[in-house]
Amino acid sequence: MNKPQAWYKQFWPWFLIILPLCAVFASVNLMFLAVENKDSLVSEDYYKDGKAINMDLRKIKHAKQLGLQFELHLAKDEITLTQHGGEPYAAALNVEFYHPTLQEKDFGQVATADGNMVYHIKLNTPIQGSWEVRLEGFDRSWRIQKRLELKDNQQYWLN
């Protein structure tokens, strides 16, 4: 008579054990990825954000009333801003660049005009792709913002 094999020497018990173990391993791996790569775009205080949006809209309307227009020129390692509309603005500009998905790429700088009323911003690393560009007066009374698809040696209008 044939002596039956022990269960751990057979194929089917191991096959049935490995399937749930793979699912457990995959779920632990996904949980680790979710905890390590938190979404930085989610706001915790929606009410304050809503009030801030209304303030931003007032600033944008104020910039349109002043008739402000700027030309942005992107070179490899420098951005130049030249005013073409509205009263000449001689004060410094708060210039901010926001990446649509990666908060760690966002940067801002205060730019001052040279003798020709051209604002220069030196870049540490070249930027390309989709960015939201915001220009604000030094007193933060007006704002111009626009979503741009940035490429080297291109000119863009901010109005």
Side-chain angles (χ1 to χ4, degrees):
M1 195 152 69
N2 284 342
K3 187 176 180 187
Q5 283 185 321
W7 71 270
Y8 54 86
K9 292 183 179 179
Q10 295 181 14
F11 169 75
W12 288 109
W14 287 110
F15 179 75
L16 294 174
I17 290 171
I18 285 180
L19 285 177
L21 281 178
C22 288
V24 168
F25 176 74
S27 64
V28 168
N29 189 26
L30 285 176
M31 189 172 88
F32 174 75
L33 286 174
V35 169
E36 287 296 312
N37 300 316
K38 294 179 183 173
D39 189 4
S40 62
L41 301 176
V42 176
S43 174
E44 293 183 14
D45 195 348
Y46 298 104
Y47 180 72
K48 283 185 181 177
D49 290 346
K51 287 174 65 175
I53 288 171
N54 289 338
M55 291 290 291
D56 291 347
L57 293 176
R58 279 190 234 139
K59 291 179 183 181
I60 292 169
K61 285 180 185 176
H62 186 62
K64 287 185 181 186
Q65 288 171 349
L66 295 173
L68 295 173
Q69 288 186 342
F70 286 85
E71 175 189 357
L72 182 143
H73 182 265
L74 176 64
K76 195 174 216 178
D77 61 346
E78 182 180 44
I79 295 171
T80 57
L81 292 161
T82 310
Q83 183 179 358
H84 288 284
E87 290 284 325
Y89 189 76
L93 287 177
N94 293 309
V95 184
E96 297 170 334
F97 287 82
Y98 294 99
H99 195 273
T101 57
L102 302 173
Q103 187 177 16
E104 61 270 7
K105 288 189 172 189
D106 297 350
F107 68 95
Q109 189 171 351
V110 176
T112 56
D114 62 8
N116 297 324
M117 296 303 295
V118 176
Y119 297 87
H120 297 274
I121 299 171
K122 296 287 183 191
L123 298 174
N124 296 334
T125 58
I127 61 171
Q128 286 189 356
S130 184
W131 290 85
E132 178 157 335
V133 181
R134 286 188 191 165
L135 300 180
E136 281 188 315
F138 191 70
D139 61 354
R140 299 205 185 264
S141 64
W142 58 268
R143 174 184 288 175
I144 298 173
Q145 67 183 29
K146 194 167 188 182
R147 173 82 49 114
L148 299 173
E149 192 69 34
L150 297 177
K151 297 177 185 169
D152 273 345
N153 295 321
Q154 295 285 329
Q155 293 177 336
Y156 304 95
W157 286 97
L158 302 169
N159 50 4

